[in-house]
């Protein structure tokens, strides 16, 4: 909550009895945090960040969506590359999405 600021509404949806997973909780938290921060940055005037989880067989899928404007195709092509960023100097390392992808 503190990382996305007051203009972003967070909606979390997970069914009761979802179960648990075996994972590194620190890596999972960092991946979700990086995705949330990217969502926040995509919505400079605020908006809704949705975090949902659902069981898919013996796995749990986590989905994070925002109401940002989206990425142009040339950015989508490179978004998961380590050190690729569209943010200005001092505003990002380009590791957030690639790290989240690696954890997934």
């Amino acid at each position: 909550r503190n990382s996305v600021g007051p203009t972003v509404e967070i909606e979390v949806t997970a069914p009761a009895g979802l179960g648990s997973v075996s994972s590194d909780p620190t890596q999972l938290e960092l991946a979700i945090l990086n995705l949330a921060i990217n969502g926040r940055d995509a919505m400079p005037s605020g908006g809704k960040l949705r975090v949902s989880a659902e069981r898919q067989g013996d796995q749990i899928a986590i989905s994070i969506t925002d109401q940002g404007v989206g990425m142009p195709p040339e950015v989508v092509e490179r978004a998961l590359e380590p050190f690729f960023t569209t943010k200005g100097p001092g505003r990002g390392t380009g590791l957030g999405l690639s790290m989240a992808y690696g954890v997934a």
Side-chain angles (χ1 to χ4, degrees):
R1 165 90 321 290
N2 291 337
S3 297
V4 297
T7 62
V8 175
E9 178 186 346
I10 300 174
E11 177 183 288
V12 178
T13 306
L18 186 61
S20 61
V21 295
S22 176
S23 71
D24 181 320
T26 302
Q27 284 189 349
L28 184 57
E29 180 179 355
L30 191 56
I32 292 170
L33 178 61
N34 274 301
L35 293 170
I37 289 170
N38 274 287
R40 175 204 63 198
D41 292 348
M43 303 181 293
S45 299
K48 187 178 284 191
L49 182 75
R50 292 180 177 93
V51 180
S52 62
E54 66 178 356
R55 180 160 291 286
Q56 293 182 349
D58 62 348
Q59 299 179 352
I60 295 176
I62 299 171
S63 175
I64 300 173
T65 60
D66 62 67
Q67 294 177 318
V69 297
M71 294 184 270
E74 62 273 11
V75 172
V76 171
E77 289 177 20
R78 300 191 60 202
L80 300 178
E81 290 179 19
F83 305 109
F84 175 76
T85 183
T86 59
K87 298 174 183 174
R91 292 212 51 236
T93 61
L95 293 173
L97 290 180
S98 64
M99 191 281 308
Y101 178 72
V103 169

